Amino acid sequence: MQLEALGSLLLLPKNLGTCYAINLENENTTFHHVCLPPHTSILTQDQNAMALQWKTVLGRLFLGIAVSSFPIPTVLAQRPTAPRLFPEDTLVYFRVDDSRDMQAKMQETTMGRLSADPQIQPIINEFFGSMSSSLEQVQQFLGVSFEEILRIPNGELALAVVPTETDPAICVLVEAKDELPALEILVSKAEEQITRAGAIRSTKKVGEIETVRYGDPNRQDRQFAYFIDSGVMVLCSRNDYLDKLAMSWTGNGTDSAKLADNRKFTTIMAQSVGVDGERPQLSFYIDPMAIVRQATKNSPQAAIISTFIPVLGVDGIQAIGGSMILRPKDFDSINHLHLLLASPRKGFLQVMRPKTGDTEPENWVNEDVATYFTINWDYVGTVNAIERIVNLFNEDGFFEEQVMKRADAFLGFSLRKELIEQINHRVSWIQAFEKPSRINSGSNLLGIHVKDGAKLRSETLPKLFEKLQSVSPMWQTTTIGDSLVYVMEIPVGADFPETMRAPTFCFTVIDNVLLATDSKQTLTDALMTKAGQNALLRDAVEFRVVKDRIKQQLKDRESSIIAYQRPDESLRTFYDLAADPKNKDRLKGLSENNPFFQALYKALDRHRLPPFEVISKYLAPSGSFVTEDETGLHMTSFGMRRE
């Protein structure tokens, strides 16, 4: 326990001891109790008081607080936060900084405001009310309602998986404060179950912390332990490991390194703050190689695995982590994901070869698309890296003989020379939604930038079409505008579901881009856009705003990958399906033995959906981008906000 400086006094506790209970209040300060150890020194900054004088000085201090109306900061013991509680070699870490703050911020987000809309809220309340009723037996078993469970986290919430000499331990920190009784009910239910399974309850003092533990003398894997202090419950799946947590909690385990001292962890967390340094509401960290070592250390195959890991180069994946930030300035949310990589990259990691390049939407992408994604990548280098890895486990030339030459024999031309080596680093993907709305209304179109479109059009694609037609006569040619298009329309019978879209596979070349899609309509829209008959995405106001936000966050860096999404387009399909009476009847059939669909059906049956404009007014575009630096790859995604 550590006490802070108060005015000109410095409290230096050594061991827990006497506890003084007082209740001194004014408009700015409330003192309830202060605990001081028997050998605490209270030293002024102007003199060294004798250790035995502390009681006299303490009495004067309390008297001064009682008679003074001058606001004085509260003296509180500083408990460790999760990064200072869990060990440096933590395998998995997940943390909510402050559940109250996160809940408040979530209410301000797009989804929070949407769910609070007077025309939407009754549907949501009906859905969750029905879900609670359907799961009433579960709530009776737990002893608390789901609403009470959701209210339990009242501050910091964290989970960690930590290594031990045997199996990993799962540790949980829950700051409950006033909701601690509900948490204790849940824990008591768990205690009942583990006791029935043969576990024996015991208690143990660790410093001033009393721990409760359950263990099965015949099963080392059946353990459960916890302690409660200052409205916080710390739980652990290993009794012995809880002792270490209790020592760290009281400040007696300071010699051991903590997660906050882990360079990999701090590197990722430093990359995962907001543009203006905003603190994340949620953060996570995973050490994949440490997980592999922990999982295989007692395995007879461990030696084989440890031999191949460096050869494959996957040991260069040092850590994965990131964060979520809600309602920062100018955004609805910002999410970070960082892949921490060793340098230089070897083996498998050589496959990951992003390149900087143009990310402006092409002249065949119209403004109505739901999603746009473009990536600049060294595809030839990636294929070569895959070839080296495959050959490591086989004889030299295996990849060429067994993969490439077999593909060449099937296609009738060199896959490597006429397709792979023709890719000019960039590939783009769009998603659009066809009307009328179907379950699979979302169509996909891939645009592969090539070095020589004329050669691909006149030589390679005719060979490919000839081979495809020999396999299936459904492949035909047609003309859309000025473009020759290769098409395969799948015939559907009378029993084909009305809720499904029959895909049509097409490909063609425009300029130096190979277009391939599962929708003739989407390809037609792309060709019409190229001909100037549709507005371009790159000129759309909302896209330009998202692109500006990407530029703002990139600062002086380059991005190899960007994405743009319009959630209203994706949601409109589900809205149309939900509003269709035929689909409501199908949903009723699904709800007979499924609590989720039952609750959804009741909500939609009892409350009419408002016009789609009521929903869409809350939905704003989102964007994402990927950067690369000496530490690895970093993806940032964000949602815009509508006021």
Side-chain angles (χ1 to χ4, degrees):
M1 182 174 63
Q2 179 181 359
L3 296 178
E4 298 178 347
L6 176 62
S8 64
L9 297 172
L10 186 64
L11 308 181
L12 303 174
K14 297 175 183 176
N15 296 294
L16 287 171
T18 308
C19 186
Y20 291 80
I22 58 174
N23 286 284
L24 304 171
E25 300 187 10
N26 61 29
E27 61 181 348
N28 297 299
T29 308
T30 301
F31 280 78
H32 295 293
H33 64 273
V34 176
C35 296
L36 292 175
H39 302 297
T40 300
S41 297
I42 299 184
L43 308 178
T44 67
Q45 293 178 346
D46 301 323
Q47 62 181 9
N48 275 325
M50 296 291 292
L52 296 178
Q53 293 177 327
W54 70 270
K55 292 182 180 179
T56 302
V57 179
L58 181 62
R60 292 176 180 174
L61 173 62
F62 287 166
L63 179 62
I65 295 174
V67 301
S68 174
S69 61
F70 187 82
I72 300 175
T74 305
V75 181
L76 293 174
Q78 296 297 313
R79 71 166 179 84
T81 57
R84 285 291 176 190
L85 177 66
F86 300 134
E88 181 182 34
D89 56 355
T90 294
L91 306 175
V92 178
Y93 164 89
F94 172 90
R95 179 180 183 241
V96 175
D97 182 63
D98 187 333
S99 55
R100 297 160 303 179
D101 175 64
M102 185 171 179
Q103 183 179 12
K105 290 288 178 62
M106 288 184 70
Q107 292 175 352
E108 299 174 9
T109 63
T110 293
M111 297 311 298
R113 294 167 60 216
L114 174 61
S115 62
D117 187 283
Q119 298 186 68
I120 300 295
Q121 194 173 46
I123 301 175
I124 295 176
N125 290 343
E126 181 74 38
F127 172 75
F128 284 106
S130 297
M131 281 291 291
S132 296
S133 300
S134 301
L135 300 174
E136 186 175 349
Q137 291 183 346
V138 177
Q139 294 184 97
Q140 289 177 352
F141 170 78
L142 294 175
V144 293
S145 67
F146 291 119
E147 291 80 5
E148 290 174 310
I149 294 174
L150 293 175
R151 287 198 302 266
I152 286 175
N154 215 350
E156 186 179 17
L157 175 65
L159 178 145
V161 180
V162 300
T164 69
E165 293 181 359
T166 54
D167 298 325
I170 301 173
C171 310
V172 179
L173 180 153
V174 183
E175 186 173 4
K177 296 185 178 176
D178 294 340
E179 301 296 332
L180 189 61
L183 179 58
E184 290 174 327
I185 291 174
L186 286 176
V187 172
S188 69
K189 292 293 183 180
E191 291 176 338
E192 290 177 9
Q193 294 299 311
I194 199 169
T195 301
R196 290 174 184 171
I200 299 174
R201 186 183 191 276
S202 63
T203 61
K204 178 182 178 181
K205 277 270 190 176
V206 180
E208 290 300 311
I209 297 293
E210 180 169 318
T211 64
V212 179
R213 55 195 65 212
Y214 288 82
D216 187 337
N218 300 316
R219 291 283 300 273
Q220 290 298 316
D221 59 333
R222 288 183 178 174
Q223 295 185 0
F224 172 69
Y226 68 90
F227 66 81
I228 300 174
D229 184 59
S230 303
V232 179
M233 178 177 285
V234 177
L235 306 95
C236 189
S237 62
R238 295 291 303 272
N239 295 349
D240 53 352
Y241 200 86
L242 186 73
D243 294 348
K244 296 182 180 180
L245 295 178
M247 293 289 286
S248 295
W249 185 263
T250 58
N252 295 319
T254 55
D255 292 340
S256 59
K258 305 302 178 187
L259 184 60
D261 304 314
N262 185 324
R263 179 65 62 86
K264 294 184 292 187
F265 173 79
T266 56
T267 297
I268 290 177
M269 292 301 110
Q271 298 258 15
S272 302
V273 296
V275 178
D276 297 319
E278 296 94 344
R279 190 171 182 172
Q281 279 74 41
L282 183 150
S283 54
F284 71 96
Y285 169 83
I286 302 170
D287 189 334
M289 294 313 304
I291 293 174
V292 172
R293 289 192 294 270
Q294 178 75 13
T296 61
K297 65 180 181 181
N298 297 320
S299 168
Q301 291 81 27
I304 299 175
I305 295 173
S306 62
T307 300
F308 280 112
I309 282 177
V311 174
L312 291 173
V314 293
D315 57 334
I317 304 176
Q318 298 184 328
I320 304 168
S323 69
M324 180 175 70
I325 307 168
L326 298 174
R327 296 295 285 180
K329 181 182 178 182
D330 298 330
F331 297 94
D332 192 61
S333 64
I334 298 178
N335 302 300
H336 292 278
L337 177 65
H338 194 84
L339 181 62
L340 191 67
L341 302 175
S343 183
R345 298 174 194 172
K346 302 179 296 181
F348 170 77
L349 295 186
Q350 289 181 311
V351 171
M352 309 184 71
R353 306 178 70 94
K355 295 176 67 70
T356 57
D358 185 19
T359 55
E360 193 76 0
E362 296 89 338
N363 60 4
W364 44 267
V365 182
N366 70 71
E367 66 176 1
D368 292 328
V369 300
T371 302
Y372 173 75
F373 173 86
T374 190
I375 174 172
N376 290 275
W377 198 269
D378 183 357
Y379 297 98
V380 173
T382 295
V383 172
N384 291 340
I386 293 173
E387 181 174 10
R388 287 193 294 271
I389 293 170
V390 172
N391 287 343
L392 279 173
F393 297 93
N394 300 279
E395 58 187 25
D396 288 344
F398 178 87
F399 184 84
E400 179 66 26
E401 292 293 328
Q402 300 299 320
V403 179
M404 300 306 293
K405 287 189 176 180
R406 287 190 177 188
D408 295 348
F410 172 79
L411 295 172
F413 58 84
S414 172
L415 174 63
R416 187 189 297 272
K417 292 182 178 179
E418 297 199 37
L419 281 180
I420 295 175
E421 293 182 355
Q422 280 295 310
I423 300 177
N424 196 20
H425 301 311
R426 185 182 181 187
V427 173
S428 297
W429 168 73
I430 67 170
Q431 184 178 54
F433 287 85
E434 289 190 16
K435 299 296 181 184
S437 295
R438 296 289 185 267
I439 293 174
N440 61 339
S441 279
S443 62
N444 303 279
L445 187 149
L446 198 65
I448 304 172
H449 290 244
V450 297
K451 298 174 182 177
D452 191 343
K455 180 180 179 182
L456 192 68
R457 184 185 302 109
S458 62
E459 298 180 17
T460 306
L461 292 192
K463 296 177 187 177
L464 177 60
F465 172 70
E466 182 180 354
K467 184 62 181 181
L468 292 174
Q469 198 172 42
S470 68
V471 175
S472 172
M474 287 189 292
W475 279 101
Q476 301 294 325
T477 60
T478 188
T479 301
I480 301 177
D482 297 330
S483 299
L484 176 66
V485 179
Y486 303 92
V487 182
M488 184 177 75
E489 296 188 17
I490 300 177
V492 296
D495 58 343
F496 191 79
E498 293 182 32
T499 55
M500 299 294 291
R501 171 181 68 89
T504 303
F505 300 99
C506 318
F507 60 90
T508 189
V509 175
I510 55 172
D511 296 334
N512 287 326
V513 180
L514 169 63
L515 297 179
T517 180
D518 62 355
S519 167
K520 186 177 180 180
Q521 180 59 56
T522 300
L523 180 61
T524 301
D525 289 341
L527 295 176
M528 290 175 62
T529 303
K530 171 66 169 59
Q533 299 181 44
N534 293 325
L536 296 173
L537 175 62
R538 63 189 181 197
D539 295 331
V541 173
E542 289 190 333
F543 175 80
R544 299 314 307 175
V545 171
V546 169
K547 191 72 182 288
D548 287 344
R549 291 291 184 268
I550 292 176
K551 185 177 180 181
Q552 171 192 351
Q553 296 178 83
L554 281 172
K555 297 180 180 178
D556 296 328
R557 296 173 297 170
E558 296 288 339
S559 175
S560 57
I561 304 169
I562 74 159
Y564 166 81
Q565 288 182 303
R566 296 171 58 212
D568 55 328
E569 283 297 309
S570 304
L571 190 59
R572 185 183 293 274
T573 295
F574 295 102
Y575 176 91
D576 292 341
L577 291 172
D580 188 339
K582 295 180 181 179
N583 289 320
K584 190 176 293 186
D585 291 339
R586 296 186 185 98
L587 184 61
K588 183 179 181 180
L590 292 172
S591 68
E592 292 181 359
N593 299 309
N594 188 300
F596 175 83
F597 287 119
Q598 188 176 63
L600 183 59
Y601 172 74
K602 287 182 179 180
L604 295 176
D605 185 55
R606 296 179 181 180
H607 302 276
R608 185 176 180 179
L609 282 171
F612 185 70
E613 291 70 23
V614 173
I615 300 173
S616 62
K617 69 182 181 181
Y618 292 101
L619 305 177
S622 62
S624 58
F625 60 93
V626 174
T627 57
E628 182 184 24
D629 60 20
E630 65 278 1
T631 68
L633 300 176
H634 189 90
M635 185 181 78
T636 304
S637 60
F638 59 88
M640 303 297 295
R641 64 164 71 170
R642 291 199 196 278
E643 300 299 341

